Amino acid sequence: MSGAGVNRRSVISEAVAPWSEIAQLLRGGEAGTLVPVIIPRHRRRLWWMLPLWAGVFALLSGVMLTLRGADADGAADLAYGALAAVAYTSGVLLLVVGGLWWWRSSIVEIEQGTNGVLTRYGAVTDTLQAGRHYLWHPWSRVDFVVDTATEIPYSAPVMACPTQENVPLRSIEFFLKFRITDAVLFVRTIGAGNFDLVLSSAVQDAIRQRARRMRTERAYDLRGSDVADMQELLNRQLSRYGVRITGCNIPDVQLPAQYQQHLATRERVAKERTAYEQEWGLTRKRRIDSLGMDIERAKKVRDARIVEVKAALNRAREAVAQLLEEQETNAQRVRFEIETRGRSGLISAENEARAQRALAKAYRDNRAVLQYELARRRLEVGASLAVNAPQPVVVRTDGPGAGGDTSALSTLVAAQLLPRLNAALPSGGELPLPGRRDGE
């Protein structure tokens, strides 16, 4: 089937067509309408009964002629016999033609994806599935062929739909798909033409309820919004007609010109804001990348310096370890030297102590010799002291003819001459000084 054009309401109707055009109408519609129900134009008439009754009459006529010829004789018997043969032949041919006509007129072919509603004397008796069927009863017929497999698209624009602020929207395009689930319930309860009115009213009511809850500046949010609640509402309303809504959505919303300009300005500002945010995001990302590179570079420099510091620390540790090792070696050498000198001194002291002990033992053994040696040593020391002792010199300043005072000049001269005179004078001699009288 073909849907209605954009911004045009779909029209659902039923059509009367011969069996040869049913498939075309169900798939393509008629003059821009949706045709889910076809009323077949029947070619089945009761004319097939005429040759049957004529054949029966011919057979009965042949029987009567046979009976009449049995009572006659001669030429009359031959004439009745010929007429009876003609009657029998005509009756059989008429019966065959009538039977073939009946058989051909009882064939019904239901298109794939459709159901046929079978009636007898105007009452629905059965539903015919797709395929070939034989309607042997003369008054059985298929009144409706209903498309039950195709999801039929339906477009219903709602004009002047008010919003929460009571601002009428220009139009709201609503699109849905439905499928007929019960052919008998559909054709006997509502029919295609009435269903179009009921569906249009239900869609408009649902759309107006949805739009009444929306603010005007957010009317574009209706496009592509979730309409599962509307689909459930429509299914509850249309289930009693044997119809099920399989899908629906709102493809387009048209606002008044003033609000369109307002929303266009908002969209332009939003786009500019988005562009600015993207530009700022790129700038921020660039700055972050630059800072990240600086941080990585600083980390590399820091790592290099850390490596250098660690290398210097290792070198310092090696130098300190080497210095400590040298100091320890020197300390050990000094300790060895001190220990060696101490051992040498100790050995020397021990030897001297042993010598002194031996000497003391010898002195103890030779005590008399020791006392003699000690006396002799004393004498030698006394003699040495007597020889080396200073000699006194007496300077007399009280000689005859001398005055009572001693001058400084005479004292200085005496001090210079004393060392010379000391060597020349005998011990205990006196040197008279001028100016000193006797007895003084």
Side-chain angles (χ1 to χ4, degrees), residues 180-196:
I180 300 173
T181 58
D182 192 335
V184 177
L185 188 62
F186 181 78
V187 299
R188 287 304 180 189
T189 303
I190 188 169
N194 295 330
F195 178 73
D196 178 65

Side-chain angles (χ1 to χ4, degrees), residues 217-356:
E217 61 269 14
R218 301 191 62 183
Y220 277 141
D221 294 342
L222 290 173
R223 294 183 297 186
S225 60
D226 185 14
V227 291
D229 55 340
M230 298 176 62
Q231 180 177 346
E232 184 178 358
L233 175 63
L234 293 175
N235 278 324
R236 287 199 304 269
Q237 294 177 356
L238 302 177
S239 59
R240 61 177 177 270
Y241 303 129
V243 177
R244 184 171 64 87
I245 306 297
T246 58
C248 56
N249 65 342
I250 300 177
D252 188 23
V253 176
Q254 295 184 5
L255 299 178
Q258 179 181 359
Y259 277 93
Q260 285 183 355
Q261 295 177 359
H262 174 65
L263 292 179
T265 304
R266 287 184 59 187
E267 289 182 357
R268 185 177 66 254
V269 172
K271 290 180 180 179
E272 292 177 356
R273 178 183 176 184
T274 303
Y276 177 76
E277 289 179 352
Q278 291 178 355
E279 183 179 358
W280 168 245
L282 293 175
T283 304
R284 181 182 178 185
K285 186 176 183 299
R286 197 162 48 243
R287 292 180 180 178
I288 291 174
D289 294 340
S290 178
L291 290 176
M293 293 176 64
D294 294 339
I295 291 172
E296 292 297 329
R297 191 180 301 111
K299 286 182 178 179
K300 291 181 179 179
V301 173
R302 183 197 63 185
D303 295 338
R305 291 183 178 178
I306 289 174
V307 172
E308 293 177 358
V309 170
K310 288 183 178 179
L313 182 60
N314 292 330
R315 289 194 299 270
R317 287 176 178 174
E318 291 178 358
V320 170
Q322 186 176 0
L323 181 60
L324 289 176
E325 187 176 358
E326 292 177 355
Q327 293 293 333
E328 186 176 359
T329 303
N330 294 332
Q332 190 173 6
R333 186 177 65 252
V334 171
R335 186 182 64 190
F336 288 161
E337 291 178 355
I338 293 172
E339 289 179 356
T340 303
R341 287 197 299 268
R343 287 192 187 95
S344 299
L346 180 60
I347 293 171
S348 177
E350 288 177 354
N351 293 331
E352 186 177 358
R354 282 195 294 270
Q356 292 292 335

Side-chain angles (χ1 to χ4, degrees), residues 21 71 96-97 154 162 164 167 172 194 199-200 252 284 297 299 327 335 351 359 382 392 399 401 435:
E21 298 178 1
D71 296 338
V96 171
V97 171
Y154 183 82
Q164 186 176 356
V167 176
I172 299 178
N194 295 330
L199 181 59
S200 176
D252 188 23
R284 181 182 178 185
R297 191 180 301 111
K299 286 182 178 179
Q327 293 293 333
R335 186 182 64 190
N351 293 331
L359 182 61

Side-chain angles (χ1 to χ4, degrees), residues 2-5 8-12 32-34 153-157 175 196 200:
S2 63
R8 293 183 55 189
R9 189 178 73 84
S10 301
V11 178
I12 302 174
T33 61
L34 305 175
Y154 183 82
S155 178
F175 178 81
D196 178 65
S200 176

Side-chain angles (χ1 to χ4, degrees), residues 48 52 94-106:
W48 56 270
L52 289 179
L94 289 174
L95 288 175
V96 171
V97 171
L100 291 175
W101 195 349
W102 184 16
W103 170 77
R104 184 65 185 86
S105 62
S106 64

